[in-house]
Amino acid sequence: MTTENLNYNESVKVSILEAAQSLFAKFGYKKTTMEDIALELHKGKSSLYYYFKNKEEIFQAVIDKEQGELISNLKIVVESTKNPQDKLNEYVLVRMKTISEQDNYFKALTDERFGGIEFVKAVKESMEKAEVDMIETIINEGVSADVFQIKNIHMGAVAIALALKGLEIPMFQAANKFEGMEEQVQNILNILFFGLIKR
């Protein structure tokens, strides 16, 4: 296959994912059909099957794409040169903002109807591990800089990751946009810092 064909195939695949991402977010996974995605792209339904086996495979690719964006945004924060307190502050804000913009990813992780789908379980597990690792890195920096105090860094990171996860649903139900959540996020951060900052 030529480079030109590879580029074309990749471009079509990206277009399919973008169309599906928008339709899944708007109508939900169950109500969106392969035909809907094809119509959105002005293509025949059969052309989608050249790139994806079925709707579930497209949905999986959309979830992987959104998770990749979330991890990428968080890594930028973790790898920044900010001080540990500002870094943890920004980590939480960026996390909540990014998830609030990712309808499909958020639904897949929180809607019980997706609980039995194997790839959703795998996505949850990989995100939990990635998140604990990133938070642990920030806490380690804070302890090294003598601004955080915590006896068990790993368990502290697990606790923060779980706390953030547990707050997602009530926060997003209470506010339709991230702007409406910022005050709540800041309150959470104040509680986190009160327990972490060395006094």
Side-chain angles (χ1 to χ4, degrees), residues 61-126:
V62 166
I63 298 306
D64 286 342
K65 176 179 180 281
E66 292 189 358
Q67 184 188 47
E69 288 165 2
L70 174 61
I71 291 174
S72 176
N73 289 350
L74 293 174
K75 277 186 175 174
I76 290 168
V77 176
V78 174
E79 292 164 9
S80 73
T81 56
K82 295 186 175 190
N83 68 60
Q85 186 173 339
D86 288 344
K87 204 177 274 195
L88 188 55
N89 187 74
E90 192 175 347
Y91 180 94
V92 176
L93 291 170
V94 167
R95 180 190 187 280
M96 292 303 190
K97 184 175 191 300
T98 304
I99 291 176
S100 75
E101 295 165 351
Q102 295 178 322
D103 290 325
N104 300 300
Y105 182 72
F106 181 67
K107 282 175 192 165
L109 294 181
T110 57
D111 192 325
E112 288 176 9
R113 287 171 291 184
F114 292 108
I117 301 175
E118 279 307 310
F119 85 81
V120 173
K121 288 180 186 173
V123 164
K124 281 183 179 181
E125 286 170 11
S126 68

Side-chain angles (χ1 to χ4, degrees), residues 130-164:
E131 183 142 50
V132 168
D133 288 347
M134 288 186 282
I135 294 170
E136 200 168 328
T137 298
I138 298 171
I139 296 174
N140 260 314
E141 285 178 19
V143 170
S144 297
D146 205 31
V147 290
F148 291 167
Q149 61 175 4
I150 187 165
K151 286 178 182 174
N152 187 322
I153 292 170
H154 177 71
M155 289 311 296
V158 169
I160 291 170
L162 284 172
L164 295 175

Side-chain angles (χ1 to χ4, degrees), residues 42-59:
H42 307 292
K43 289 185 180 293
K45 187 168 73 169
S46 59
S47 65
L48 299 184
Y49 292 103
Y50 178 79
Y51 300 94
F52 297 97
K53 281 189 286 187
N54 50 39
K55 183 175 79 168
E56 186 175 311
E57 191 171 88
I58 296 176
F59 187 65

